[in-house]
Amino acid sequence: LLCVSGTQLAQAQDAWVVGQSTPLTGSNAAFGKDIRDGALAWFKAVNARGGVAGKNIELVTLDDANDRKTAGVNTQKLLTGNNAVALFGYASATLSLDAMPQAEKAGVLFFAPFSGANPVRQAPPVVFTLRASYADELEKMLAFWTGAGAKQMVVVHYDDEVGKQNLGVVTEYLKKQGKTPAAFALQRNAKIDAASVTQLLALKPDVIINTVLSGPAADISKFLVARGALVPTSSLSFVGATQYIQAAGEAGAGVSISQVVPNPNARLPIVTECAKALQDSGVTQPMNSTH
C-alpha cells in the first residue's frame, strides 16, 4: 500500500522527487555536501540512461546545519511542499529521529540514512538501512584493543540519545570482561577547547574510542599531539575518514578508522563506476568513502 501511494503521487509529477535534509553549512558541511554530491552524481548517471520508468530522479536537498529540529522542519517541507516520494541520505541518526515518524505517517520510504546507530535499525517499516551497525564496528575495535591488553577505554560520544546508545554498546561489550569504560560527553556542534582535553586526559585513557564527527575528533587529536599525549584512537566510520584526515592533518597519524564501504581507490567495478559518475557530474575532488 505504501508503494502504491508513492507511485500514484509520482504519476502526477514530471519527476521522481527524492527529499534530503543534510548539513550544507556549519561544522559538518563538508560531510553533508559529500553525501549530497555522491547521490547527485549517481542520479545524473541514471537520468542519462532514461531515468526510472521514463522519469528523471530529482534530488531536493535542504540544509539543516546538523540540527535535529531543523531536520524535522525540513522533512515537513519536503513531504508537503515538494511532494517527495522518498526521503534519502539524512546525515545521521540524530537528524533522522524527527523525520522517520513523519515518513511513516505519510507512507513514504525513508532510505539509507547515513548511520549504523540503533534508532535507525529499530525503526518503522518504511525505514531501510544500508550501513553496518555501529555495534558491529565497535565490537571489532574493542576486540582488537582488549586483545592487545588495553584496560581503560574512554568513549568520546555526543551527549544525546544516539550518543548515549553508542556508549551503551561499548559498556555492554566490556561488561562481559568485567570492565567498565569511561565516558567523555560532548554537546553536538560544540567546539573543543584545551580545558575539554584536560578533562579527557584526566580519565587516563589507554585507548580513545571516538563516536563523534570529524570536526571535534580532529580538534581532540590536535590538542593531544600538541601536549605530547599520544593516545591510541579508533573511530567509527561515522567520523568521515577523508573529512577527518583533512581536518586533523599530521595530528591524525596513527588513528584507525572503521570502514563499511569499499576503499574508494579499490579496483572494483562498482568503485570505478561511481568514480566516473562523480567526475562526469563535475565534482573535481577525488572520490571518498562518504561519496
Side-chain angles (χ1 to χ4, degrees):
L1 289 176
L2 297 177
C3 292
V4 169
S5 173
T7 301
Q8 289 175 339
L9 178 61
Q11 287 173 348
Q13 301 177 169
D14 294 328
W16 304 96
V17 177
V18 176
Q20 178 187 36
S21 180
T22 199
L24 300 178
T25 58
S27 60
N28 201 29
F31 194 70
K33 289 176 182 176
D34 284 350
I35 299 172
R36 177 202 62 185
D37 290 350
L40 281 174
W42 188 251
F43 291 158
K44 182 178 179 180
V46 172
N47 291 342
R49 297 195 294 265
V52 177
K55 293 184 179 181
N56 283 349
I57 304 168
E58 178 186 345
L59 180 65
V60 177
T61 304
L62 300 181
D63 180 21
D64 56 40
N66 208 36
D67 177 72
R68 172 179 171 175
K69 183 177 180 181
T70 304
V73 173
N74 284 350
T75 301
Q76 183 64 26
K77 292 177 182 177
L78 291 166
L79 291 173
T80 60
N82 297 99
N83 294 325
V85 298
L87 300 175
F88 159 83
Y90 280 51
S92 72
T94 298
L95 298 175
S96 303
L97 288 175
D98 296 332
M100 292 186 294
Q102 294 185 60
E104 182 180 31
K105 183 177 179 180
V108 168
L109 177 71
F110 192 89
F111 185 71
F114 206 89
S115 175
N118 284 340
V120 299
R121 298 181 67 84
Q122 300 168 355
V126 298
V127 179
F128 286 77
T129 58
L130 289 181
R131 293 175 74 85
S133 73
Y134 289 158
D136 289 342
E137 293 187 46
L138 287 167
E139 288 180 6
K140 289 290 186 182
M141 291 179 200
L142 295 168
F144 174 83
W145 287 118
T146 55
K151 293 181 171 53
Q152 177 68 322
M153 307 282 184
V154 175
V155 183
V156 178
H157 67 92
Y158 286 122
D159 189 19
D160 58 19
E161 180 180 345
V162 176
K164 290 174 182 176
Q165 288 192 3
N166 288 334
L167 171 63
V169 171
V170 179
T171 301
E172 284 300 311
Y173 182 91
L174 293 178
K175 184 178 180 181
K176 301 170 188 175
Q177 302 180 26
K179 300 174 183 175
T180 303
F184 185 73
L186 299 177
Q187 293 296 317
R188 199 171 287 267
N189 297 323
K191 290 290 292 181
I192 299 294
D193 57 20
S196 300
V197 176
T198 297
Q199 294 171 2
L200 173 60
L201 288 173
L203 298 173
K204 300 186 183 306
D206 290 331
V207 174
I208 293 172
I209 302 295
N210 174 61
T211 69
V212 301
L213 283 163
S214 58
D219 288 341
I220 289 172
S221 294
K222 289 177 180 178
F223 276 115
L224 290 175
V225 169
R227 295 188 185 194
L230 303 180
V231 183
T233 300
S234 287
S235 177
L236 285 178
S237 60
F238 177 62
V239 71
T242 299
Q243 293 84 354
Y244 168 78
I245 291 167
Q246 291 174 344
E250 293 183 357
V255 171
S256 58
I257 300 174
S258 177
Q259 289 295 310
V260 294
V261 295
N263 187 316
N265 299 313
R267 294 182 179 180
L268 295 172
I270 184 67
V271 175
T272 303
E273 204 171 350
C274 288
K276 184 179 185 305
L278 197 69
Q279 184 178 33
D280 290 347
S281 73
V283 174
T284 57
Q285 72 179 98
M287 185 174 68
N288 60 46
S289 58
T290 311
H291 287 132

